[in-house]
Structure formats: C-alpha cells, structure tokens
Amino acid sequence: MLPDKKIIADSNDRLLKSHNQHFSFLSGNISHLPSILDKLQAFQVAIPSWALGTGGTRFGRFPGGGEPRNLEEKMEDIALLHSLNRSSGAISLHIPWDIPSDYSKIKALASDYGLRFDAMNSNTFQDQAGQDLSYKFGSMQHVQKAIRKQAVDHNIEVIKYGKELGSSSLTVWLADGSCFPGQLNFRKAFQNTLESLQMVYERLPADWKMFVEYKAFEPNFYSTTIGDWGQSLLYTSKLGAKAFTLVDLGHHLPNANIEQIVSLLLMEGKLGGFHFNDSKYGDDDLTVGSIKPYQLFLIFNELVEGMDARNMNHTKDLAWMIDASHNVKDPLEDLLQSVEAIMISYAQALLVDKVKLEAARMENDVVAAQEELQNAFRTDVRPIVAEARLLSGGALDPLSIYRDQKIRQQLINTRGSEIMATGL
Ligand code: LRH
Ligand code: MN
C-alpha cells in the first residue's frame, strides 16, 4: 500500500512554489537553520503497534475498516507513515498482542521498510487465555509469590522476543494498585514490586534499558503502585543504571507541571523517554498537541536545554514513542498529525535563544524570558518541518497524499471492513 515515490514527487511538485515562498521567508532570519534541519531529519518517533486500529472505551469501539490483521500489516501501515513523513522509522511492540510468528521474516520486513524495533512492552494488566494465575489483584505487587513470579517470567520472555528482533529496551507499565482504602499494604506492594522488577532487571542484556512507566490512576482508582514520577524514580534509582523513568503525558493528575518533571528527571540522568499523546481530563490518549500544544512546546524546551546541558544525542539518548488511541479518527491520519505536532514543538524549542533566555532569568526579567519562549512558540515552523521532510525524501503534505490516494479505502478493499486490529 506504500505510495510510490512518483506520487510523492508529483504532490511535492504541485506544492513546491508556495512551500519555497514560506520557507524562504522563515529561513531569512534563522541563523542556525541548517542545524535545525539536520536535527529534524534525524529525529525518529516510534509508532505503537497497538494504535494502528480504532481504539475504544468500555462504552464502545467503532472500527473504521481496513485495520491490520497481523504484525506484518501493522509494519506495512507504519512503513506507509514513514514513507510520507520520514520521521516514523521505528515500531514499539506490545506482547502478547504482537508475538512475531517468524522472526527472520519480520526482521527482513523491518529492514525492507527501514524500520527498527524500539522498546518492547510487557502486559501484566490483562489475563490471557490459558493463563494459570489472574492479575485481578495486581501482578508484581501481588500478595501471592506465584503470581509475582508469573509476571517476572512474562517480562523475561518479552526481553527474549526483543533480543531476537534487535530491540534494546523494555517498558514496564503496571496497572497494579487498589480501588479502596484498606485494600492494600502500600509498603509491601512497593517492596514486592521492587523485588519483582529487580528479578527482571537482572535478566536485562548489558546494552538494554528498562523503562518504568508511572500512571496516576486507571484501572485502579484509589492507589497506583507506580503512581507518579517520584515513585518511578524511587524504583529506577534502587534498580540501577540501566533503569529509567518513562513519561506518558496522559498519566498525570490535572495541571501537573510535566515540563518541570522532565527537567528534573533529565538533570538526574533518569529520564528514559516518552509516550506522547494529549489529554484534557484523564489518560485520554488523544492526538499529540491537540489539547495543550504550549505544554508540549515547554516540554521540548526543557528537553533541548537539558539534553544539551548533558551533551546528549537528541536522536538516540531518549526513547521517543507515541501512545495514543483513536476512537473517532482514522488511526493513520491521527498518527500523521501526532508526528507533525511533535516535530513542530521540537523545531520551536530549537528556535529558543537559550543565552537570551538565561540572561533574562538572571535579571529576573520575567517579561523578557516569557517573550523569548512565546516568540518561538508563536513562530509558524511548519515550512521548516516540511523542508526537513522534503530533504529526507518525504512528502511536503503527507495528509493530502493519504487522502488524495484514498489509502483507507484501498486498505478496506484489501483487508475488509470488519477486521479489528489487536491492541487497546
Ligand atoms: C497504560 C499505557 C501503557 C501501555 C498501554 C497500552 O495506560 O499507557 O503504556 O502499555 O497504555
Ligand atoms: Mn503509555
């Protein structure tokens, strides 16, 4: 289903004149534009294998048709996104939803598509068919040693799959917690979870990372055993140098200052990466930058400042992943919009004059500091992001090609309209 290069070239030719007008207007007054373009071209966002179908809630799920029927078709869909925006060159698998049937075939497909395997995700928040023991009352926190062992063994198995595929990180998100006061001994739950994570940590290959993802609530609604960044940092500090905290933007209590959390985790060298999405209330898993675009910019501003302060490689040293659910939009259009929003916020953060900003701060010149940030945020950098795509062989306007080529209808013709992809 990949649009051939001619379709992309023809579309770009039609858009080139107006693009160059916008781009040349911008490039006129941005001295370090070449380095910004280099950084944007190198920046790759991993697409979640569980978000290529239509998502839903307990109230309903309304599949849109043409959804991927297996891992091969999920990789085909991500390759489609990557052929259009050249910034989606990685897939993050969720086990057991995406257990590869034939490793060599999947690895060959990945190299054909120019995709790499980002973090592997374990799943001890659902009971699988034929599973011996239930995770109803948690997994690694569980009062019963046998259930904790089952969860540890599952994570070790996920590492095995990842090693075969060439992944080098494991994301552990635990739904563990409690729904009512009195239900849980918080200290024992913490110690059981730490002991279990340590047993997984010991089985990590030398060059692997473990990401400990925190979440304030859902599916437990009184306490969550890895409930916020402080608790995740407590675990990752006790686990060791290969353990890092993963920030899912939707996993915070309302009005949490996520950019400050990111700044401090980065300062401590314990920030592992992100699950990008947006939300208005809870873990809404909405399109990135669709509700709080200024917050996303402020997060990238702290990321660029903090990574440069530690001479980190923007592309390689943190895990950039999307974690979204598409209840009312075409999953592929939604993902194209999410990647675009991430690239826009990154480009705007690269525009911030860090020296002028710091000078204003040293003078407590609040207005000057604010103006430095807002000038960058209010700069329409879309022509710069489009130019980076063009230089990488992508489309100036990915969404218009996806629509003009009626790709969703092509997928429905091939895959049918009833199929529902594995995932949430
Ligand atoms: C939990 C979460 C986690 C995934 C799941 C699909 O809310 O963010 O990252 O395992 O979504
Ligand atoms: Mn997540």
Side-chain angles (χ1 to χ4, degrees), residues 320-370:
W320 312 107
M321 300 173 278
I322 288 172
D323 183 359
S325 175
H326 325 287
N327 301 357
V328 294
K329 294 189 333 185
D330 179 310
L332 298 180
E333 293 189 348
D334 202 342
L335 289 164
L336 285 173
Q337 290 180 303
S338 281
V339 173
E340 173 82 355
I342 291 168
M343 303 305 280
I344 286 172
S345 292
Y346 182 35
Q348 290 169 331
L350 292 169
L351 283 183
V352 174
D353 182 327
K354 306 281 183 289
V355 176
K356 270 174 74 179
L357 177 61
E358 210 47 38
R361 287 166 170 169
M362 294 311 288
E363 299 301 317
N364 292 311
D365 184 343
V366 179
V367 171
Q370 212 181 6

Short mmCIF file of all heavy atoms in Angstrom, two decimals, residues 320-370:
data_model
loop_
_atom_site.label_atom_id
_atom_site.label_comp_id
_atom_site.label_asym_id
_atom_site.label_seq_id
_atom_site.Cartn_x
_atom_site.Cartn_y
_atom_site.Cartn_z
N TRP A 320 11.70 8.08 22.00
CA TRP A 320 10.60 8.94 21.55
C TRP A 320 9.50 8.03 20.99
O TRP A 320 9.69 7.42 19.93
CB TRP A 320 11.07 9.92 20.48
CG TRP A 320 12.33 10.65 20.81
CD1 TRP A 320 13.57 10.45 20.28
CD2 TRP A 320 12.48 11.73 21.75
NE1 TRP A 320 14.49 11.32 20.80
CE2 TRP A 320 13.85 12.11 21.74
CE3 TRP A 320 11.61 12.38 22.62
CZ2 TRP A 320 14.36 13.12 22.55
CZ3 TRP A 320 12.12 13.41 23.41
CH2 TRP A 320 13.46 13.77 23.37
N MET A 321 8.39 7.90 21.70
CA MET A 321 7.32 7.00 21.26
C MET A 321 5.97 7.69 21.41
O MET A 321 5.80 8.57 22.25
CB MET A 321 7.33 5.72 22.13
CG MET A 321 8.64 4.95 22.03
SD MET A 321 8.70 3.58 23.21
CE MET A 321 9.18 4.44 24.69
N ILE A 322 5.05 7.31 20.57
CA ILE A 322 3.67 7.78 20.70
C ILE A 322 2.87 6.68 21.41
O ILE A 322 3.17 5.49 21.27
CB ILE A 322 3.06 8.06 19.30
CG1 ILE A 322 3.68 9.32 18.69
CG2 ILE A 322 1.54 8.20 19.36
CD1 ILE A 322 3.28 9.58 17.25
N ASP A 323 1.92 7.07 22.23
CA ASP A 323 0.99 6.10 22.83
C ASP A 323 -0.38 6.77 22.77
O ASP A 323 -0.69 7.63 23.59
CB ASP A 323 1.38 5.79 24.27
CG ASP A 323 0.46 4.74 24.89
OD1 ASP A 323 -0.48 4.29 24.19
OD2 ASP A 323 0.67 4.37 26.06
N ALA A 324 -1.14 6.43 21.75
CA ALA A 324 -2.43 7.09 21.56
C ALA A 324 -3.50 6.06 21.24
O ALA A 324 -3.20 4.89 21.02
CB ALA A 324 -2.31 8.10 20.41
N SER A 325 -4.74 6.50 21.27
CA SER A 325 -5.86 5.62 20.94
C SER A 325 -6.83 6.43 20.08
O SER A 325 -7.14 7.57 20.40
CB SER A 325 -6.55 5.19 22.24
OG SER A 325 -7.70 4.44 21.94
N HIS A 326 -7.24 5.87 18.99
CA HIS A 326 -8.00 6.63 18.01
C HIS A 326 -9.46 6.19 18.01
O HIS A 326 -9.83 5.22 17.36
CB HIS A 326 -7.39 6.45 16.63
CG HIS A 326 -5.90 6.33 16.66
ND1 HIS A 326 -5.09 7.41 16.90
CD2 HIS A 326 -5.08 5.27 16.53
CE1 HIS A 326 -3.82 7.02 16.89
NE2 HIS A 326 -3.79 5.73 16.68
N ASN A 327 -10.30 6.90 18.77
CA ASN A 327 -11.70 6.46 18.92
C ASN A 327 -12.59 7.00 17.81
O ASN A 327 -13.57 6.36 17.41
CB ASN A 327 -12.22 6.89 20.29
CG ASN A 327 -11.37 6.31 21.42
OD1 ASN A 327 -10.43 5.53 21.15
ND2 ASN A 327 -11.65 6.71 22.64
N VAL A 328 -12.29 8.19 17.29
CA VAL A 328 -13.18 8.80 16.29
C VAL A 328 -12.46 9.20 15.00
O VAL A 328 -13.10 9.70 14.07
CB VAL A 328 -13.86 10.07 16.87
CG1 VAL A 328 -14.80 9.70 18.01
CG2 VAL A 328 -12.82 11.11 17.31
N LYS A 329 -11.12 8.99 14.93
CA LYS A 329 -10.38 9.41 13.73
C LYS A 329 -9.71 8.22 13.07
O LYS A 329 -9.46 7.19 13.70
CB LYS A 329 -9.30 10.45 14.11
CG LYS A 329 -9.89 11.74 14.63
CD LYS A 329 -9.01 12.91 14.84
CE LYS A 329 -7.61 12.80 15.13
NZ LYS A 329 -6.89 14.06 15.43
N ASP A 330 -9.39 8.35 11.79
CA ASP A 330 -8.62 7.32 11.08
C ASP A 330 -7.27 7.21 11.78
O ASP A 330 -6.54 8.20 11.92
CB ASP A 330 -8.42 7.75 9.62
CG ASP A 330 -7.60 6.73 8.83
OD1 ASP A 330 -6.50 6.34 9.33
OD2 ASP A 330 -8.02 6.33 7.73
N PRO A 331 -6.92 6.00 12.25
CA PRO A 331 -5.66 5.85 13.03
C PRO A 331 -4.43 6.42 12.31
O PRO A 331 -3.59 7.06 12.93
CB PRO A 331 -5.56 4.34 13.19
CG PRO A 331 -6.97 3.84 13.10
CD PRO A 331 -7.66 4.73 12.12
N LEU A 332 -4.33 6.21 11.01
CA LEU A 332 -3.14 6.65 10.28
C LEU A 332 -3.12 8.17 10.12
O LEU A 332 -2.07 8.80 10.24
CB LEU A 332 -3.05 5.92 8.94
CG LEU A 332 -2.92 4.40 9.04
CD1 LEU A 332 -2.84 3.76 7.66
CD2 LEU A 332 -1.72 4.00 9.88
N GLU A 333 -4.29 8.78 9.90
CA GLU A 333 -4.34 10.25 9.83
C GLU A 333 -3.97 10.83 11.19
O GLU A 333 -3.20 11.79 11.30
CB GLU A 333 -5.73 10.71 9.39
CG GLU A 333 -6.07 10.33 7.95
CD GLU A 333 -7.37 10.99 7.47
OE1 GLU A 333 -8.11 11.54 8.32
OE2 GLU A 333 -7.60 10.97 6.25
N ASP A 334 -4.49 10.20 12.26
CA ASP A 334 -4.22 10.68 13.63
C ASP A 334 -2.73 10.60 13.94
O ASP A 334 -2.13 11.55 14.46
CB ASP A 334 -5.01 9.79 14.62
CG ASP A 334 -5.24 10.49 15.95
OD1 ASP A 334 -4.55 11.47 16.23
OD2 ASP A 334 -6.13 10.04 16.70
N LEU A 335 -2.10 9.49 13.54
CA LEU A 335 -0.66 9.33 13.80
C LEU A 335 0.16 10.33 12.97
O LEU A 335 1.15 10.88 13.46
CB LEU A 335 -0.25 7.89 13.52
CG LEU A 335 -0.75 6.85 14.54
CD1 LEU A 335 -0.65 5.44 14.00
CD2 LEU A 335 0.00 6.99 15.86
N LEU A 336 -0.27 10.61 11.73
CA LEU A 336 0.44 11.62 10.93
C LEU A 336 0.37 12.98 11.63
O LEU A 336 1.37 13.70 11.73
CB LEU A 336 -0.18 11.71 9.52
CG LEU A 336 0.14 10.59 8.54
CD1 LEU A 336 -0.70 10.73 7.26
CD2 LEU A 336 1.63 10.58 8.19
N GLN A 337 -0.81 13.30 12.18
CA GLN A 337 -0.96 14.58 12.89
C GLN A 337 -0.10 14.60 14.15
O GLN A 337 0.53 15.60 14.47
CB GLN A 337 -2.43 14.79 13.26
CG GLN A 337 -3.37 15.07 12.10
CD GLN A 337 -4.79 15.28 12.61
OE1 GLN A 337 -5.34 14.40 13.28
NE2 GLN A 337 -5.35 16.45 12.33
N SER A 338 -0.05 13.46 14.87
CA SER A 338 0.74 13.41 16.11
C SER A 338 2.22 13.61 15.84
O SER A 338 2.89 14.39 16.52
CB SER A 338 0.50 12.08 16.82
OG SER A 338 -0.73 12.10 17.52
N VAL A 339 2.75 12.92 14.81
CA VAL A 339 4.18 13.08 14.49
C VAL A 339 4.46 14.53 14.09
O VAL A 339 5.45 15.12 14.53
CB VAL A 339 4.61 12.09 13.39
CG1 VAL A 339 6.06 12.37 12.96
CG2 VAL A 339 4.48 10.65 13.87
N GLU A 340 3.56 15.11 13.30
CA GLU A 340 3.73 16.51 12.88
C GLU A 340 3.80 17.44 14.10
O GLU A 340 4.65 18.31 14.21
CB GLU A 340 2.57 16.92 11.97
CG GLU A 340 2.51 18.39 11.58
CD GLU A 340 3.43 18.77 10.40
OE1 GLU A 340 4.18 17.88 9.94
OE2 GLU A 340 3.42 19.95 10.01
N ALA A 341 2.91 17.21 15.07
CA ALA A 341 2.86 18.06 16.28
C ALA A 341 4.16 17.94 17.07
O ALA A 341 4.69 18.94 17.58
CB ALA A 341 1.68 17.66 17.14
N ILE A 342 4.71 16.74 17.14
CA ILE A 342 5.98 16.53 17.86
C ILE A 342 7.10 17.27 17.15
O ILE A 342 7.89 17.99 17.77
CB ILE A 342 6.29 15.02 17.96
CG1 ILE A 342 5.30 14.31 18.89
CG2 ILE A 342 7.73 14.78 18.41
CD1 ILE A 342 5.34 12.79 18.81
N MET A 343 7.16 17.14 15.81
CA MET A 343 8.24 17.80 15.06
C MET A 343 8.13 19.32 15.17
O MET A 343 9.12 20.02 15.27
CB MET A 343 8.19 17.36 13.59
CG MET A 343 8.28 15.86 13.36
SD MET A 343 9.72 15.10 14.12
CE MET A 343 10.96 15.53 12.91
N ILE A 344 6.89 19.84 15.17
CA ILE A 344 6.69 21.30 15.29
C ILE A 344 7.19 21.79 16.65
O ILE A 344 7.96 22.76 16.73
CB ILE A 344 5.19 21.64 15.10
CG1 ILE A 344 4.78 21.51 13.63
CG2 ILE A 344 4.85 23.04 15.64
CD1 ILE A 344 3.29 21.63 13.37
N SER A 345 6.84 21.07 17.73
CA SER A 345 7.28 21.51 19.07
C SER A 345 8.79 21.42 19.21
O SER A 345 9.43 22.29 19.80
CB SER A 345 6.60 20.65 20.14
OG SER A 345 5.21 20.93 20.16
N TYR A 346 9.39 20.37 18.63
CA TYR A 346 10.85 20.22 18.68
C TYR A 346 11.51 21.38 17.92
O TYR A 346 12.42 22.04 18.43
CB TYR A 346 11.24 18.87 18.07
CG TYR A 346 12.71 18.52 18.07
CD1 TYR A 346 13.56 18.90 19.10
CD2 TYR A 346 13.26 17.79 17.02
CE1 TYR A 346 14.92 18.57 19.08
CE2 TYR A 346 14.61 17.44 16.99
CZ TYR A 346 15.43 17.84 18.04
OH TYR A 346 16.78 17.51 18.00
N ALA A 347 11.00 21.69 16.73
CA ALA A 347 11.57 22.79 15.92
C ALA A 347 11.45 24.12 16.65
O ALA A 347 12.40 24.90 16.70
CB ALA A 347 10.86 22.85 14.57
N GLN A 348 10.29 24.37 17.27
CA GLN A 348 10.11 25.62 18.01
C GLN A 348 11.09 25.69 19.19
O GLN A 348 11.70 26.74 19.43
CB GLN A 348 8.66 25.73 18.50
CG GLN A 348 7.64 25.96 17.40
CD GLN A 348 6.21 25.80 17.87
OE1 GLN A 348 5.93 25.05 18.81
NE2 GLN A 348 5.29 26.51 17.22
N ALA A 349 11.28 24.57 19.86
CA ALA A 349 12.23 24.56 21.01
C ALA A 349 13.65 24.84 20.54
O ALA A 349 14.42 25.49 21.23
CB ALA A 349 12.15 23.22 21.72
N LEU A 350 13.98 24.40 19.32
CA LEU A 350 15.32 24.64 18.77
C LEU A 350 15.50 26.10 18.35
O LEU A 350 16.61 26.56 18.12
CB LEU A 350 15.56 23.72 17.57
CG LEU A 350 15.67 22.22 17.89
CD1 LEU A 350 15.65 21.39 16.59
CD2 LEU A 350 16.94 21.92 18.69
N LEU A 351 14.39 26.85 18.29
CA LEU A 351 14.45 28.27 17.93
C LEU A 351 14.76 29.14 19.14
O LEU A 351 15.23 30.26 19.02
CB LEU A 351 13.11 28.73 17.34
CG LEU A 351 12.76 28.35 15.91
CD1 LEU A 351 11.43 28.97 15.52
CD2 LEU A 351 13.87 28.75 14.95
N VAL A 352 14.48 28.62 20.35
CA VAL A 352 14.64 29.42 21.56
C VAL A 352 16.11 29.81 21.73
O VAL A 352 17.00 28.96 21.65
CB VAL A 352 14.16 28.66 22.81
CG1 VAL A 352 14.47 29.44 24.09
CG2 VAL A 352 12.66 28.37 22.71
N ASP A 353 16.36 31.10 21.94
CA ASP A 353 17.74 31.58 22.17
C ASP A 353 18.05 31.37 23.65
O ASP A 353 17.68 32.18 24.51
CB ASP A 353 17.86 33.06 21.80
CG ASP A 353 19.29 33.57 21.98
OD1 ASP A 353 19.96 33.07 22.91
OD2 ASP A 353 19.73 34.45 21.22
N LYS A 354 18.73 30.27 23.96
CA LYS A 354 18.96 29.86 25.36
C LYS A 354 19.78 30.92 26.12
O LYS A 354 19.58 31.13 27.31
CB LYS A 354 19.69 28.52 25.39
CG LYS A 354 19.02 27.41 24.60
CD LYS A 354 17.87 26.80 25.35
CE LYS A 354 17.23 25.64 24.60
NZ LYS A 354 16.48 26.04 23.41
N VAL A 355 20.69 31.59 25.41
CA VAL A 355 21.55 32.59 26.07
C VAL A 355 20.71 33.79 26.50
O VAL A 355 20.75 34.24 27.66
CB VAL A 355 22.69 33.02 25.10
CG1 VAL A 355 23.54 34.12 25.75
CG2 VAL A 355 23.54 31.81 24.72
N LYS A 356 19.86 34.27 25.55
CA LYS A 356 19.00 35.43 25.88
C LYS A 356 18.03 35.05 27.00
O LYS A 356 17.81 35.81 27.95
CB LYS A 356 18.21 35.84 24.63
CG LYS A 356 18.92 36.89 23.76
CD LYS A 356 18.19 37.17 22.48
CE LYS A 356 16.91 38.01 22.70
NZ LYS A 356 16.26 38.26 21.35
N LEU A 357 17.51 33.82 26.94
CA LEU A 357 16.55 33.37 27.97
C LEU A 357 17.23 33.35 29.34
O LEU A 357 16.69 33.89 30.32
CB LEU A 357 16.02 31.98 27.61
CG LEU A 357 15.07 31.32 28.60
CD1 LEU A 357 13.80 32.15 28.78
CD2 LEU A 357 14.70 29.90 28.14
N GLU A 358 18.41 32.79 29.39
CA GLU A 358 19.11 32.68 30.69
C GLU A 358 19.49 34.06 31.21
O GLU A 358 19.40 34.33 32.41
CB GLU A 358 20.35 31.79 30.53
CG GLU A 358 20.75 31.02 31.78
CD GLU A 358 19.57 30.31 32.46
OE1 GLU A 358 18.68 29.78 31.75
OE2 GLU A 358 19.51 30.35 33.72
N ALA A 359 19.86 34.95 30.28
CA ALA A 359 20.22 36.33 30.70
C ALA A 359 19.01 37.02 31.32
O ALA A 359 19.11 37.65 32.39
CB ALA A 359 20.72 37.09 29.48
N ALA A 360 17.85 36.83 30.70
CA ALA A 360 16.63 37.45 31.24
C ALA A 360 16.34 36.88 32.63
O ALA A 360 15.98 37.61 33.56
CB ALA A 360 15.46 37.16 30.30
N ARG A 361 16.55 35.56 32.78
CA ARG A 361 16.29 34.92 34.08
C ARG A 361 17.23 35.49 35.13
O ARG A 361 16.83 35.76 36.25
CB ARG A 361 16.47 33.40 33.95
CG ARG A 361 15.37 32.68 33.19
CD ARG A 361 15.76 31.26 32.81
NE ARG A 361 14.62 30.49 32.28
CZ ARG A 361 14.76 29.30 31.69
NH1 ARG A 361 15.97 28.77 31.51
NH2 ARG A 361 13.69 28.65 31.24
N MET A 362 18.50 35.68 34.76
CA MET A 362 19.48 36.19 35.74
C MET A 362 19.13 37.61 36.17
O MET A 362 19.52 38.07 37.23
CB MET A 362 20.89 36.12 35.13
CG MET A 362 21.38 34.69 34.86
SD MET A 362 21.17 33.60 36.29
CE MET A 362 22.47 34.27 37.36
N GLU A 363 18.35 38.32 35.30
CA GLU A 363 17.91 39.69 35.63
C GLU A 363 16.52 39.66 36.25
O GLU A 363 15.93 40.72 36.50
CB GLU A 363 17.87 40.53 34.35
CG GLU A 363 19.21 40.67 33.63
CD GLU A 363 20.23 41.33 34.58
OE1 GLU A 363 19.81 42.30 35.25
OE2 GLU A 363 21.36 40.81 34.71
N ASN A 364 15.94 38.43 36.45
CA ASN A 364 14.54 38.34 36.88
C ASN A 364 13.65 39.19 36.00
O ASN A 364 12.66 39.78 36.44
CB ASN A 364 14.42 38.76 38.35
CG ASN A 364 15.10 37.75 39.26
OD1 ASN A 364 14.86 36.55 39.13
ND2 ASN A 364 16.00 38.24 40.11
N ASP A 365 14.04 39.26 34.70
CA ASP A 365 13.22 40.00 33.74
C ASP A 365 12.20 39.02 33.19
O ASP A 365 12.37 38.40 32.13
CB ASP A 365 14.10 40.56 32.62
CG ASP A 365 13.27 41.43 31.65
OD1 ASP A 365 12.02 41.31 31.69
OD2 ASP A 365 13.87 42.19 30.88
N VAL A 366 11.11 38.85 33.94
CA VAL A 366 10.10 37.84 33.64
C VAL A 366 9.52 38.04 32.24
O VAL A 366 9.37 37.09 31.47
CB VAL A 366 8.99 37.87 34.70
CG1 VAL A 366 7.92 36.83 34.40
CG2 VAL A 366 9.57 37.65 36.10
N VAL A 367 9.24 39.29 31.90
CA VAL A 367 8.63 39.56 30.59
C VAL A 367 9.57 39.14 29.46
O VAL A 367 9.17 38.44 28.52
CB VAL A 367 8.27 41.06 30.47
CG1 VAL A 367 7.83 41.39 29.05
CG2 VAL A 367 7.17 41.41 31.48
N ALA A 368 10.84 39.51 29.57
CA ALA A 368 11.81 39.16 28.51
C ALA A 368 11.93 37.64 28.39
O ALA A 368 11.96 37.10 27.28
CB ALA A 368 13.17 39.77 28.83
N ALA A 369 11.95 36.95 29.53
CA ALA A 369 12.04 35.48 29.50
C ALA A 369 10.82 34.89 28.81
O ALA A 369 10.92 34.05 27.91
CB ALA A 369 12.17 34.95 30.92
N GLN A 370 9.64 35.42 29.18
CA GLN A 370 8.39 34.91 28.60
C GLN A 370 8.37 35.18 27.10
O GLN A 370 8.04 34.30 26.30
CB GLN A 370 7.23 35.63 29.28
CG GLN A 370 5.97 34.84 29.44
CD GLN A 370 4.89 35.68 30.12
OE1 GLN A 370 5.05 36.88 30.36
NE2 GLN A 370 3.78 35.03 30.39
#
